[in-house]
Amino acid sequence: MNNHVTVLEIDAHALEHNLNYFKKKLRPETKILAVVKAFGYGSDGVKVATFLQDKVAYFAVAYTHEGVALRNAGIKTPILVLHPQIPNLREIVDYRLEPNLYNFKIFNAFLKLADDIPLINYPIHIKFNTGLNRLGFWHTDIPKIISELKKCTHVKVQSLFSHLAASEDLEEQEFTVKQLNNFAHIAKQFYTYLDYEPMLHILNTSGVVNFAKAQFDMVRIGIGLYGFGNDDQETAQLKNTHNLKSIISQIHFIEPGETVGYNRAFVAKSPTKSATIPVGHADGISRKLGNKKGYVLINNQKAKIIGNVCMDMIMVDVTKIDCHEGDEVLIFNSQKAIKHIAHISETIVYETLTAISQRVKKVLKY
Ligand SMILES: *Cc1c(COP(=O)(O)O)cnc(C)c1O
């Protein structure tokens, strides 16, 4: 049991609100796949999936073991593994996970496994590269894929999908439209060869926001579920899901000329009251937030981080704040605060959220 006093509270109402926000942008029959990879974007994938299991059609994880964790928690919803590896294929089958097959090496390995076991109509997903150049078959691979599939009754193509390279960026709209058209063309070609029609999906969160017409049969929502849209206006309509809290471990009164933390990075110019908080870079607090770049909230007031961020702790300036050892500390509890942290950490919200480490205790709050 993790009993760390630094806790990430995952707001269940916010998750549901955000899910419904995206549902309203879609046709009623469009399925929603909730992306819960990377521990549910730094929260707790099992807790998030347990809460969402009867509200979405599908889950996606990046790697096999993330899907195994969901199955071990009793999740029965279909789970797409976005980036399976050949050594994991047997485990994929054992846990009834659904692999994304993105090149002939893994495609042939899976068809062989399906043949050997043998499986019947096992759901697989085939990914096409339409311009991201990360994972996926080329459209020119279609005839060979089809000819292999026609020889095999052990698998059934559950979906064809692709991923956009710049769905959030309207300056790249022309490129995105090209990707969407390529995908539609691939699907059409595929459909003419098969006697059934696999589902189609290409949109992530910002794809839904900017290109909802291309929703096809399903959309894959990640960051939007966790409260972030394409711009501040949209983000304001979503609710924050990640609330990181801690407490004050100790308060020190520091005389002028004394220093705080490693490398003596903070030097007190005047009498200073500092508070030590049990959260550090090993919990996901970037060292870039040290030396007064970042702050936490104590009794509704901003307390700047002084000195360097340590592995397990930060020290903050509470000279002007009425506070005591044991008082609650909010490291962040709004999208605005998370965006600010991402900004001063010179990164994006995705990285700030997923940086929250496994050491932090995770609680789903209703
Ligand atoms: C992570 C991921 C998503 C989710 O993207 P968001 O921008 O977080 O909505 C969707 N599809 C694929 C293939 C992904 O890797």
Side-chain angles (χ1 to χ4, degrees), residues 38-275:
F39 304 102
Y41 288 49
S43 63
D44 184 317
V46 166
K47 289 189 171 76
V48 169
T50 303
F51 178 68
L52 293 177
Q53 61 186 328
D54 46 7
K55 300 175 180 68
V56 299
Y58 254 89
F59 288 118
V61 292
Y63 297 106
T64 304
H65 66 97
E66 299 177 303
V68 170
L70 299 188
R71 285 285 181 254
N72 283 339
I75 306 283
K76 303 278 193 295
T77 313
I79 300 169
L80 165 58
V81 179
L82 293 166
H83 198 172
Q85 313 286 337
I86 289 174
N88 307 141
L89 293 181
R90 179 70 216 208
E91 214 177 358
I92 289 208
V93 171
D94 290 344
Y95 286 86
R96 217 162 160 86
L97 304 171
E98 302 181 11
N100 162 26
L101 304 178
Y102 49 86
N103 65 11
F104 281 113
K105 204 167 157 89
I106 196 160
F107 178 82
N108 291 334
F110 194 81
L111 263 56
K112 180 171 184 314
L113 179 71
D115 196 31
D116 289 348
I117 293 181
L119 301 169
I120 304 161
N121 285 336
Y122 196 91
I124 60 166
H125 301 258
I126 299 181
K127 189 172 197 180
F128 285 93
N129 174 23
T130 53
L132 180 60
N133 293 322
R134 193 171 71 174
L135 287 183
F137 283 104
W138 288 83
H139 70 95
T140 47
D141 296 326
I142 294 174
K144 200 170 157 206
I145 297 170
I146 297 284
S147 82
E148 295 299 322
L149 286 173
K150 290 214 159 149
K151 284 188 261 168
C152 177
T153 55
H154 305 289
V155 298
K156 182 160 189 225
V157 184
Q158 187 75 5
S159 84
L160 306 175
F161 75 111
S162 187
H163 196 38
L164 298 173
S167 58
E168 75 284 5
D169 185 357
L170 286 173
E171 287 188 10
E172 292 288 359
Q173 183 161 10
E174 204 179 314
F175 183 83
T176 303
V177 169
K178 219 184 270 174
Q179 276 196 280
L180 296 172
N181 290 339
N182 281 346
F183 180 61
H185 186 72
I186 286 164
K188 204 169 148 196
Q189 224 182 319
F190 219 92
Y191 278 13
T192 58
Y193 288 120
L194 276 190
D195 55 8
Y196 60 96
E197 298 193 343
M199 287 194 295
L200 306 175
H201 48 108
I202 190 168
L203 301 183
N204 67 334
T205 300
S206 44
V208 172
V209 172
N210 286 335
F211 303 93
K213 270 192 191 154
Q215 61 194 265
F216 295 100
D217 302 303
M218 186 158 80
V219 297
R220 306 186 302 269
I221 313 256
I223 198 77
L225 267 181
Y226 307 102
F228 292 88
N230 276 355
D231 53 36
D232 290 344
Q233 240 176 324
E234 182 147 58
T235 297
Q237 295 183 65
L238 297 167
K239 288 190 175 159
N240 187 45
T241 55
H242 286 46
N243 298 298
L244 187 58
K245 297 181 173 178
S246 193
I247 56 161
I248 298 176
S249 291
Q250 192 172 9
I251 286 177
H252 289 290
F253 293 92
I254 296 150
E255 296 301 327
E258 286 193 289
T259 63
V260 173
Y262 287 131
N263 312 105
R264 310 190 66 198
F266 173 80
V267 185
K269 290 202 183 77
S270 52
T272 300
K273 180 181 169 193
S274 79

Side-chain angles (χ1 to χ4, degrees), residues 42 166 299 313:
N299 296 330
M313 282 164 265

